[in-house]
Structures are given as structure tokens and as C-alpha cells.
């Protein structure tokens, strides 16, 4: 049985390791975080992702996966570590450290795969270079080197790891074929082979395409304010066109990918005034717009209290990384505006999370920031009884406008 060593037990690494362990490989999951290793060794997962824990428990109990702080000699090494943003540039320190941690174990004919979203050139010029400097082994000649990005949607990772098509770039054709063979053990989608740099750029392009489209929708919401028309009606009608698909405006663009990946495209080229950078500026400005709207809606109220519903970066996920709600809460705090948060899904947020009633009690404005299904059927009458002033700012078109206005709410939307 071939052995795979997966470096980085995060949102992508752990589910990916489980899929390989469940499909014929002996897997070693490696992470530098002792708490993660201890939690996994106790049989539970540290990631809030549906379907993950049962898959992990199965392969862990069947001893098809083990976890450790250190890599071991293996046939295949897969790097799935974070590539956070360091002010408009990729912080590749995790990729560098992961490459250094496996370099001493690489032997002839091993397969090394980078999955972490990275600027074009990283696989060869960072991972390949470190392995060569340590072992003298050349990629393509002595071992196989490939880049295989994922495109799974948080909240549906297990399903999408299997169903989605994948793009794989090899440093040479055989490296690509070797990587394709491995992923074919569980990927049911089509696997397309191309070169390294193309694949590295494709991953960034996918998310940048979405960021630019989100910026169009967010800017359109401001233009509709200028015209005094309803953005949601505009989008509904425009999307009736067979080839128009305008996304929904929101309070900003969060997550650990969409707001970050566009910068990876721009960092290694000398091109100014790009649409890509302008789109980032528009999306990053949305939290300021929301705060302006909030302040305007409570400007005539003494010591107003704001109820914020939802602080994850999007609906039905616990992840609060790069969430627009974080910058909105920071801005309200800086202006000494009292706010209370209700989010039954989010985990590890900077501010205290209250419950439904405490958040709404005596409040003057309900700001719907994220439309979690976990709210369940919200009783509008209960909201009426709890709030001091019946005002709602709905940044996701979540509530029923007519129902709100029937209950005498002053209802505003993005
Ligand atoms: N958002 C809106 N309006 C919309 C859709 C999204 O405001 O109509 C906001 C969300 O609230 C969120 C942000 O955009 O704050 C990003 O959410 P998302 O669902 O667009 O993207 P992610 O980050 O959850 O997942 C994306 C996906 N990429 C694409 O859809 C092109 C996923 O396939 C990737 O695998 C993932 O990034 C990643 O890890 O790269």
C-alpha cells in the first residue's frame, strides 16, 4: 500500500487526507499545532465541516490514518498549508517551512504535490528549490513535482472533493500523470492536466473572477441607492436574461480565499490601475458603507443599541476569517456604539456572542449581516416585543420586506 504524507491538517488537508485514507492509501497527517494533533488523536476533529468527523472516525479507527507532528519517509507528499496575505502579497512562510520539513525525507521517484493556493511559480521556485537545496534531487528528473489546487466550497467540502473537476499541473508530463493517478483514487470529476504555472494561475483566476463579479454587484447596490431603485429587483429582472448572472451584494467579501487570491495574481507583475485591484477596493469599502448606513439609521436615537445577526464570513459556516462583520464591529466599537451579536453558527469571534433575546432586548436597529439557516423560523412578533425601536437593516435580503413592514418595522436593505 502506498504511503501519503499530508502536511497541514486544516480545512483542506484533513478532509483530503481522509479521502486518500478511505481510498486505498496509508496516510500520515502532519501538523505543527500540538493541540490539533492531540485532538485528532483523541478521535475528534477541530474543523466545523459537515460529514468530516464520521469520515475521519472511520479511517482513524481502521488505522488507515495516523497523525503526527513530524513527517516520515513516504511515497507521496502533499502540502496543504495556509498561504495568508501579508499586505497585498502571499505569506509563503508556511509553504517554505512545510517544504523544509519534508525535504530530508524525499527520495528517488517520490511524488511531491503542492495544493496550497500560491502565486504563479511557487511550486517550482519555492518547493522544488528547497527540496533541491536539501537533497540535490531535481524535480521531473529524480522525483515528480505537481500543483493540484482544490475548489471546494466550505460547508460542502467532502462532497465537492469527490464531485468537482480538478486541474493538475506537472513540472513535466509524467509528474502530472502521476498526480492524476493518485487523485483518481477518489475524484469522480474530470481531472485536466496542464503545466504548473497555468494551473497556479487558474486557481487564482477562478476566485478573482468571483471577486470582480461581487464588486460589480456591490457597486451596483450603491448606484441603485443613487437612483432610489431596489437593487434586488434590478438583479432579479436582469438575471432573467439567459446569459446574465449578477451575484448578490452584501456587507463585504470575506473568507480566506476570495479577498486574498486576487493579490497573488498582481504581486509578481508590474501592472497598475487594474480592474482586479479596483474590485478589491470596492469590496473592502462595503463595511464602511454599512457602518455609515447604521449610524444614519440611529442618528436621532440617544445611546442606541444595535443587534447584529451573523458574524461568520458567509451563511451556514462557522468561519469568521476576513469576515466583513469583524471590521463593522471594530468600527462601531471605535465610535462607542453599543452592539450585541447573535450568531448560532460562528466560532471564535473577537467579540462576545449573545443569544437571540439578549441581542435584541431594547435594541434600536437589527442588522442582518449573515443569513444562517440555523436562525430557524424567526418570530417577527418576538422581535417586536424585544426591540425598543423597530428598525432593520438587511444586508442580505434575508427578511420578507412586506412582512416586516406589516409589523410596522422601518425596513431598509443594502
Ligand atoms: N458573497 C456575496 N454575495 C454572493 C456570494 C458571496 O456577498 O452572491 C460573499 C460571501 O458572503 C463571502 C464571500 O463573498 O463573504 C466569499 O464567499 P463565496 O461563497 O463566494 O466563496 P468561498 O470563499 O466560500 O469559496 C470560494 C469558492 N470559489 C469560487 O466560487 C470561485 C470555492 O469554490 C473555492 O474553493 C474557495 O473560494 C477557495 O477555497 O478558494
Amino acid at each position: 500500500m502506498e504511503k501519503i504524507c499530508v502536511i497541514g491538517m486544516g480545512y483542506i488537508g484533513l478532509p483530503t487526507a481522509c479521502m486518500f485514507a478511505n481510498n486505498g492509501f496509508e496516510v500520515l497527517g502532519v501538523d505543527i499545532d500540538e493541540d490539533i494533533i492531540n485532538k485528532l488523536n483523541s478521535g475528534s476533529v477541530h474543523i466545523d465541516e459537515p460529514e468530516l468527523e464520521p469520515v475521519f472516525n472511520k479511517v482513524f479507527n481502521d488505522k488507515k490514518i495516523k497523525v503526527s507532528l513530524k513527517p516520515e519517509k513516504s511515497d507521496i507528499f502533499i502540502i496543504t498549508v495556509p498561504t495568508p496575505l501579508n499586505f497585498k502579497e502571499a505569506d509563503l512562510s508556511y509553504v517554505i517551512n512545510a517544504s523544509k520539513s519534508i525535504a530530508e525525507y524525499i527520495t528517488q521517484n517520490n511524488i511531491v504535490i503542492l495544493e496550497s493556493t500560491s502565486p504563479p511559480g511557487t511550486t517550482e521556485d519555492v518547493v522544488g528549490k528547497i527540496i533541491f537545496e536539501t537533497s540535490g534531487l531535481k524535480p521531473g528528473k529524480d522525483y515528480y513535482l505537481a500543483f493540484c489546487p482544490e475548489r471546494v466550497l466550505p460547508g460542502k467540502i467532502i462532497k465537492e472533493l469527490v464531485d468537482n473537476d480538478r486541474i493538475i499541473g506537472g513540472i513535466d508530463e509524467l509528474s502530472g500523470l502521476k498526480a492524476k493517478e493518485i487523485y483518481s483514487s477518489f475524484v469522480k470529476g474530470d481531472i485536466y492536466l496542464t503545466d504548473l504555472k497555468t494551473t497556479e494561475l487558474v486557481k487564482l483566476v477562478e476566485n478573482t473572477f468571483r471577486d470582480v463579479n461581487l464588486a460589480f454587484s456591490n457597486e451596483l447596490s450603491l448606484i441603485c441607492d443613487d437612483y432610489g431603485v431596489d437593487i434586488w429587483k434590478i438583479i432579479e429582472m436582469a438575471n432573467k436574461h439567459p446569459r446574465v448572472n449578477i451575484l448578490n451584494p452584501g456587507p463585504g467579501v470575506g473568507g480566506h480565499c476570495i479577498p486574498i487570491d486576487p493579490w497573488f495574481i498582481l504581486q509578481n507583475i508590474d501592472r497598475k490601475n487594474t480592474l482586479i485591484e479596483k474590485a478589491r477596493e470596492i469590496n473592502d469599502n462595503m463595511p464602511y458603507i454599512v457602518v455609515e448606513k447604521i449610524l444614519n439609521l440611529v442618528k436621532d436615537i440617544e445611546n442606541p443599541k444595535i443587534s447584529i445577526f451573523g458574524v461568520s464570513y458567509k451563511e451556514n459556516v462557522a468561519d469568521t476569517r476576513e469576515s466583513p462583520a469583524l471590521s463593522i464591529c471594530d468600527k462601531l466599537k471605535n465610535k462607542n456604539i453599543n452592539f450585541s451579536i447573535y450568531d448560532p453558527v460562528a466560532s471564535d469571534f473577537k467579540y462576545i456572542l449573545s443569544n437571540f433575546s439578549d441581542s435584541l432586548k431594547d435594541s434600536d436597529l437589527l442588522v442582518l449581516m449573515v443569513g444562517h439557516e440555523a436562525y430557524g423560523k424567526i418570530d417577527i412578533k418576538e422581535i417586536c416585543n424585544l426591540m425598543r425601536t423597530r428598525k432593520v437593516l438587511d444586508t442580505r435580503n434575508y427578511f420578507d420586506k412586506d412582512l416586516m413592514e406589516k409589523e410596522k418595522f422601518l425596513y431598509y436593505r443594502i
Side-chain angles (χ1 to χ4, degrees):
M1 180 184 283
E2 283 196 301
K3 182 174 176 180
I4 297 185
C5 179
V6 180
I7 311 291
M9 289 290 101
Y11 279 81
I12 300 303
L14 180 57
T16 302
C18 290
M19 301 315 280
F20 281 119
N22 210 22
N23 289 278
F25 291 90
E26 177 197 351
V27 177
L28 172 66
V30 177
D31 203 287
I32 53 172
D33 185 324
E34 205 159 342
D35 292 339
I36 289 177
I37 296 301
N38 293 338
K39 191 167 174 78
L40 291 171
N41 274 323
S42 71
S44 57
V45 300
H46 57 296
I47 289 165
D48 184 346
E49 179 62 34
E51 300 173 45
L52 177 57
E53 187 136 282
V55 175
F56 172 71
N57 285 332
K58 176 172 179 292
V59 291
F60 187 71
N61 297 335
D62 291 354
K63 301 200 183 324
K64 291 179 179 169
I65 188 170
K66 66 178 186 173
V67 291
S68 163
L69 289 166
K70 288 259 179 270
E72 294 169 1
K73 232 175 96 47
S74 303
D75 302 296
I76 301 151
F77 294 86
I78 300 179
I79 299 173
T80 54
V81 295
T83 48
L85 195 63
N86 176 17
F87 189 63
K88 299 186 181 180
E89 290 220 344
D91 169 0
L92 294 177
S93 57
Y94 295 93
V95 171
I96 290 165
N97 292 335
S99 304
K100 287 179 178 170
S101 76
I102 64 171
E104 60 183 288
Y105 299 98
I106 308 293
T107 54
Q108 288 281 342
N109 298 325
N110 274 175
I111 301 169
V112 176
I113 293 165
L114 176 64
E115 279 208 15
S116 308
T117 304
S118 305
T122 301
T123 311
E124 183 171 7
D125 303 339
V126 176
V127 180
K129 184 165 177 282
I130 288 170
I131 292 172
F132 175 69
E133 285 169 350
T134 309
S135 66
L137 294 174
K138 288 186 180 156
K141 182 176 172 297
D142 302 314
Y143 70 97
Y144 305 100
L145 180 63
F147 178 71
C148 181
E150 44 66 37
R151 42 176 54 148
V152 295
L153 202 61
K156 297 179 180 161
I157 292 181
I158 296 296
K159 180 176 181 326
E160 292 210 349
L161 270 177
V162 173
D163 295 346
N164 288 1
D165 291 355
R166 292 191 81 145
I167 320 285
I168 293 179
I171 196 159
D172 61 1
E173 192 178 354
L174 198 47
S175 294
L177 287 168
K178 287 284 184 182
K180 178 173 181 175
E181 193 182 334
I182 299 165
Y183 283 92
S184 300
S185 65
F186 70 82
V187 172
K188 299 285 178 283
D190 293 327
I191 299 178
Y192 298 92
L193 294 179
T194 180
D195 63 274
L196 268 185
K197 198 166 274 189
T198 298
T199 310
E200 289 164 329
L201 198 52
V202 161
K203 171 63 189 177
L204 301 174
V205 161
E206 291 166 358
N207 284 348
T208 303
F209 172 79
R210 190 157 176 89
D211 195 49
V212 168
N213 279 273
L214 285 166
F216 173 72
S217 172
N218 285 323
E219 182 171 70
L220 187 60
S221 73
L222 308 183
I223 292 169
C224 287
D225 279 350
D226 298 340
Y227 278 102
V229 299
D230 180 355
I231 170 82
W232 302 98
K233 181 58 83 181
I234 295 281
I235 291 174
E236 182 197 352
M237 292 298 124
N239 283 355
K240 301 287 186 198
H241 186 292
R243 287 175 298 285
V244 172
N245 176 33
I246 301 170
L247 298 175
N248 294 330
V253 174
H256 53 291
C257 310
I258 304 287
I260 288 166
D261 295 0
W263 295 116
F264 292 8
I265 290 183
L266 298 176
Q267 70 172 58
N268 293 338
I269 54 174
D270 185 19
R271 183 167 291 280
K272 301 281 177 273
N273 305 321
T274 60
L275 171 64
I276 292 173
E277 187 159 2
K278 186 61 188 170
R280 282 279 72 240
E281 188 187 305
I282 291 167
N283 289 333
D284 281 350
N285 188 48
M286 288 310 289
Y288 291 93
I289 301 288
V290 172
V291 169
E292 266 173 40
K293 286 177 181 282
I294 290 172
L295 296 177
N296 188 41
L297 287 171
V298 297
K299 66 178 184 291
D300 301 328
I301 300 170
E302 200 178 335
N303 299 324
K305 174 186 171 184
I306 315 290
S307 303
I308 292 176
F309 270 33
V311 288
S312 310
Y313 83 86
K314 71 173 189 179
E315 70 281 357
N316 307 325
V317 297
D319 196 352
T320 59
R321 283 179 290 182
E322 306 285 325
S323 169
L326 180 58
S327 51
I328 289 167
C329 290
D330 283 345
K331 290 171 183 60
L332 291 176
K333 184 168 187 293
N334 292 342
K335 293 181 182 295
N336 295 317
I337 298 282
N338 176 25
F339 61 87
S340 174
I341 299 165
Y342 170 57
D343 187 321
V345 179
S347 55
D348 65 22
F349 192 59
K350 177 179 175 183
Y351 295 97
I352 293 167
L353 303 181
S354 302
N355 60 40
F356 176 86
S357 308
D358 292 348
S359 169
L360 281 165
K361 183 120 186 63
D362 301 330
S363 86
D364 301 294
L365 176 67
L366 165 55
V367 182
L368 191 286
M369 203 83 80
V370 182
H372 290 310
E373 287 166 15
Y375 296 142
K377 179 124 183 59
I378 292 180
D379 179 350
I380 307 288
K381 291 194 185 311
E382 193 179 353
I383 295 180
C384 296
N385 297 334
L386 287 163
M387 291 182 78
R388 182 170 69 171
T389 315
R390 293 184 191 180
K391 275 190 183 182
V392 176
L393 173 60
D394 187 350
T395 73
R396 301 288 188 169
N397 192 22
Y398 177 83
F399 289 113
D400 178 327
K401 181 172 181 293
D402 297 336
L403 199 58
M404 282 299 203
E405 288 176 340
K406 186 163 157 268
E407 295 298 333
K408 308 277 183 289
F409 274 88
L410 291 173
Y411 176 81
Y412 304 86
R413 264 188 307 212
I414 274 270

